[in-house]
């Protein structure tokens, strides 16, 4: 059996981030979480740093250190999403305040030092929020680009359009300049856009299977999903809402669940109308070099079976 894959989870929890972190923690044989770095996004940094520690404690993983990173985008005012995630970011269950400490080191320094310390090509960055921390790390240490195994990111959209503006997905919209830096860095990228995440809906039957697990982490996740999906049910008129971020972790565990292709992806940073749009050259009409593997298809039932099985291990 091969050793577990080393990952850093860069996140702005978020109920769907919570599901992704639980999926990673429930897959300890396959994934070694070297640390969790937090960024301002769904809610401000003070809350994302709090929420990551709550999730570590909830899952019995206080051995995983949490590092706070950028509290604002590179060059824009912060846009948050309390209208989706609630005032804490993890609204839904009753959660205790965390007791484990936040690390003193800045998240960007942790990313730089870890990727330099570990053998080249062995650390995967799993990004679940705006790409500010990763862009800052690449700016601070350009040598990282050649050492990162790959970046698997939830962000962007193309055929599905956007979810915060007609053209832009939230994570890219919050810090399009950071996303532009990351897509231009030459690091292997796997992109989980809305085109994939809108196919994994928290249907009642799927949530009930999680509820049946009956453990504190599973029941907390159910309460989070029931809060989180209310916004999307109103917006999309569906039974349940899209579960965006866990697709990143699921891809590392079961890439066979996904289908996509290598494309060139450019990020719009100038236009007021389409700021944050990920322009995906799906049909290879520009002649620009592919810089990301863009996913478009997913086996949704297989995805939820994986999530349920791994949450049950916590």
């Amino acid at each position: 059996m091969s050793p577990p894959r080393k990952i850093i989870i860069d996140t702005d929890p978020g109920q769907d981030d919570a599901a992704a972190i639980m999926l990673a923690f429930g897959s300890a044989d396959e994934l070694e979480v070297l640390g969790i770095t937090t960024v301002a996004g769904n809610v401000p940094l003070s809350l994302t740093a709090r929420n990551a520690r709550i999730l570590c404690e909830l899952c019995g993983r206080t051995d995983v250190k949490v590092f706070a990173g950028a509290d604002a985008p590179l060059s824009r005012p912060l846009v948050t999403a309390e209208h989706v995630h609630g005032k804490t970011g993890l609204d839904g269950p009753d959660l205790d305040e965390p007791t484990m400490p936040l690390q003193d080191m800045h998240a960007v320094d942790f990313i730089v030092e870890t990727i330099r310390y570990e053998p080249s090509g062995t650390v995967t960055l799993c990004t679940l929020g705006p790409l500010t921390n990763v862009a800052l790390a690449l700016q601070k240490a350009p040598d990282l680009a050649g050492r990162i195994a790959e970046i698997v990111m939830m962000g962007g959209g193309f055929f599905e359009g956007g979810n915060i503006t007609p053209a832009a997905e939230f994570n890219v919209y919050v810090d399009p300049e950071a996303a532009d830096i990351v897509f231009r860095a030459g690091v292997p990228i796997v992109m989980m856009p809305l085109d994939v995440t809108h196919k994994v809906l928290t249907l009642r039957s799927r949530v009930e299977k999680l509820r049946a697990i009956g453990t504190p982490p599973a029941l907390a996740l159910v309460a989070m999903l029931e809060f989180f999906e209310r916004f999307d049910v109103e917006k999309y008129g569906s039974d349940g809402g899209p579960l965006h971020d866990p697709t990143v972790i699921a891809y590392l565990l079961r890439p066979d669940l996904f289908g996509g292709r290598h494309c060139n992806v450019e990020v719009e940073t100038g236009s007021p109308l389409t700021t944050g749009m990920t322009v995906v050259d799906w049909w290879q009409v520009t002649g620009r070099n592919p810089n990301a593997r863009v996913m478009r298809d997913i086996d949704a039932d297989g995805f939820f079976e994986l999530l349920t099985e791994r949450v049950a291990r916590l």
Side-chain angles (χ1 to χ4, degrees):
M1 191 171 160
S2 53
R5 184 170 182 166
K6 296 175 179 182
I7 66 171
I8 295 171
I9 299 176
D10 188 69
T11 179
D12 60 339
Q15 291 90 346
D16 58 325
D17 305 72
I21 290 167
M22 288 185 184
L23 180 54
F25 282 160
S27 306
D29 292 344
E30 291 150 276
L31 300 175
E32 180 186 356
V33 183
L34 300 177
I36 294 178
T37 53
T38 67
V39 66
N42 285 323
V43 287
L45 183 70
S46 60
L47 287 171
T48 63
R50 163 192 180 265
N51 293 349
R53 288 177 291 150
I54 286 174
L55 293 166
C56 288
E57 292 185 359
L58 180 64
C59 298
R61 289 302 303 274
T62 53
D63 58 304
V64 176
K65 294 181 169 65
V66 176
F67 303 83
D71 63 1
L74 296 180
S75 57
R76 295 173 189 258
L78 177 64
V79 175
T80 54
E82 287 87 352
H83 62 290
V84 180
H85 298 277
K87 63 185 188 302
T88 68
L90 293 182
D91 279 25
D94 290 324
L95 297 166
D96 294 329
E97 287 299 316
T99 57
M100 67 183 278
L102 189 62
Q103 299 301 304
D104 291 333
M105 182 185 276
H106 193 283
V108 171
D109 295 324
F110 171 75
I111 291 170
V112 171
E113 290 195 12
T114 303
I115 292 169
R116 281 180 172 168
Y117 173 78
E118 297 288 345
S120 184
T122 63
V123 178
T124 297
L125 293 179
C126 301
T127 67
L128 313 180
L131 289 162
T132 316
N133 286 338
V134 179
L136 287 168
L138 289 165
Q139 285 183 318
K140 183 169 185 171
D143 60 294
L144 292 195
R147 297 185 62 86
I148 298 167
E150 65 182 344
I151 295 171
V152 185
M153 60 170 287
M154 190 277 128
F158 189 56
F159 299 96
E160 280 284 306
N163 62 354
I164 183 76
T165 73
E169 177 275 330
F170 178 80
N171 286 342
V172 178
Y173 178 79
V174 169
D175 199 343
E177 285 76 18
D180 184 49
I181 287 168
V182 172
F183 275 101
R184 290 177 185 277
V187 180
I189 293 173
V190 178
M191 174 175 157
M192 294 293 161
L194 299 178
D195 307 294
V196 161
T197 68
H198 280 178
K199 293 174 180 172
V200 286
L201 299 177
T202 54
L203 305 179
R204 179 70 37 213
S205 58
R206 291 168 174 167
V207 174
E208 289 310 315
K209 286 177 182 172
L210 286 166
R211 192 192 312 276
I213 296 167
T215 59
L219 295 175
L221 180 59
V222 167
M224 286 184 220
L225 295 180
E226 288 181 334
F227 178 89
F228 177 56
E229 71 183 20
R230 86 204 184 293
F231 172 80
D232 287 322
V233 169
E234 287 174 32
K235 179 173 169 182
Y236 299 111
S238 54
D239 169 14
L243 202 52
H244 308 283
D245 292 331
T247 58
V248 167
I249 306 299
Y251 174 79
L252 298 181
L253 300 167
R254 290 282 309 280
D256 58 295
L257 294 174
F258 297 85
R261 62 169 74 159
H262 285 286
C263 302
N264 179 269
V265 181
E266 304 281 331
V267 180
E268 178 58 58
T269 58
S271 159
L273 191 63
T274 58
T275 291
M277 182 177 183
T278 46
V279 181
V280 177
D281 183 10
W282 188 258
W283 300 113
Q284 278 112 35
V285 293
T286 64
R288 293 194 288 257
N289 288 330
N291 59 351
R293 185 159 172 74
V294 180
M295 294 300 157
R296 192 175 176 185
D297 298 306
I298 183 170
D299 172 355
D301 288 333
F303 166 83
F304 276 98
E305 285 169 17
L306 176 68
L307 178 66
T308 305
E309 185 224 327
R310 298 306 165 90
V311 170
R313 295 181 184 182
L314 297 170

